[in-house]
């Protein structure tokens, strides 16, 4: 007689208790185990106590908001793998970008139909599980994207692999994520000139002592020489240049190839490897 399949466990985080109760009952009817947390503080205390398969996380909460909860969980190896579906009453692109930048795996706007939430939960768990299986057997990860949202989602998937497969600290991985965002956005805006028909290609290769990232656009490339040095007095008030400067501080080597259409980043794993590299 086959063993009964273990129910998936979902944590619902929202300061609206009535909504938590409604969603809990609805998901239980659809064969999920559920827990509820009514604040960010409660959520951060509950997550270490049980193995959750997904977290439904509201953004707008008093005290620690959903962005901060997501950031803290995604910065820890033990919890980084848990998919997070964010709920937001703000239906704007910028809010979605911020949610994805903090590490959210999916996003749904309030108000929503319970059936739509259920579909999003199922799709998110299946997609994350499928991607983890696909990426986990390779020494090299490659992907392409056409839009900014899809790029952020792909980088989040890659970051989960960095936590699993490298000795880098959480802070180092988070800094790398910011660097990849910056180079990717440059490829979209400056290389491809926001052309929706052009893609950006990303490759991450894993080695014993380092990581190598290659980000390539299909346009005119990007010339870092035209960007002002943000550390110079005359450039302190300018926005341009800060992102590229951040990248140079995060990685151990950066190379611009083919007029900047291809950018190669190298991150070494330890001090001994860095000394050998130097």
């Amino acid at each position: 007689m086959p063993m009964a399949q273990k129910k998936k466990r979902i944590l619902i985080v929202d300061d609206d208790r009535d909504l938590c109760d409604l969603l809990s009952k609805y998901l239980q009817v659809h064969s999920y185990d559920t827990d509820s947390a009514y604040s960010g503080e409660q959520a951060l205390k509950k997550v270490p106590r049980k193995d959750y398969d997904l977290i439904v996380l509201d953004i707008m909460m008093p005290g620690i908001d959903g962005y901060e909860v997501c950031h803290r969980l995604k910065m820890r190896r033990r919890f980084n793998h848990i998919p997070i579906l964010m709920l937001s009453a703000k239906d704007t692109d910028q809010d979605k970008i911020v949610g994805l930048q903090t590490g959210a795996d999916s996003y749904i706007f309030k108000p929503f139909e319970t059936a739509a939430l259920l579909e999003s939960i199922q799709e998110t768990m299946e997609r994350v599980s499928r991607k983890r299986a696909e990426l986990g057997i390779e020494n090299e990860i490659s992907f392409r994207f056409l839009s900014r949202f899809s790029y952020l989602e792909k980088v989040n998937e890659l970051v989960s692999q960095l936590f699993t497969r490298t000795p880098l600290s959480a802070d180092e991985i988070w800094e790398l994520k910011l660097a990849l965002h910056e180079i990717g956005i440059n490829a979209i805006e400056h290389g491809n000139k926001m052309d929706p028909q052009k893609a950006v290609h990303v490759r991450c290769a894993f080695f014993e002592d380092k990581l190598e990232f290659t980000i390539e656009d299909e346009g005119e490339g990007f010339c870092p020489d035209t960007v002002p040095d943000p550390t110079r007095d005359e450039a302190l008030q300018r926005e341009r240049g800060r992102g590229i400067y951040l990248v140079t501080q995060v990685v151990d080597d950066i190379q611009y190839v083919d007029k900047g259409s291809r950018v190669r980043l190298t991150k070494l794993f330890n001090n001994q490897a860095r000394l050998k590299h130097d």
Side-chain angles (χ1 to χ4, degrees), residues 18 107 112 201:
D18 291 337
Y107 209 93
F112 53 81
H201 305 262

Side-chain angles (χ1 to χ4, degrees), residues 105-117:
D105 297 277
S106 294
Y107 209 93
I108 191 168
F109 296 110
K110 293 181 177 180
F112 53 81
E113 298 291 334
T114 50
L117 177 65

Side-chain angles (χ1 to χ4, degrees), residues 127 131 135 152-161:
R127 172 169 51 83
K131 286 298 181 182
L135 297 176
L152 295 174
E153 291 167 355
K154 292 290 188 181
V155 170
N156 287 344
E157 293 169 3
L158 173 56
V159 166
S160 293
Q161 291 297 309

Side-chain angles (χ1 to χ4, degrees), residues 255-267:
Q255 299 176 14
Y256 293 87
V257 186
D258 295 337
K259 298 181 179 180
S261 289
R262 185 184 306 122
V263 183
R264 185 177 298 116
L265 309 176
T266 302
K267 179 68 175 179

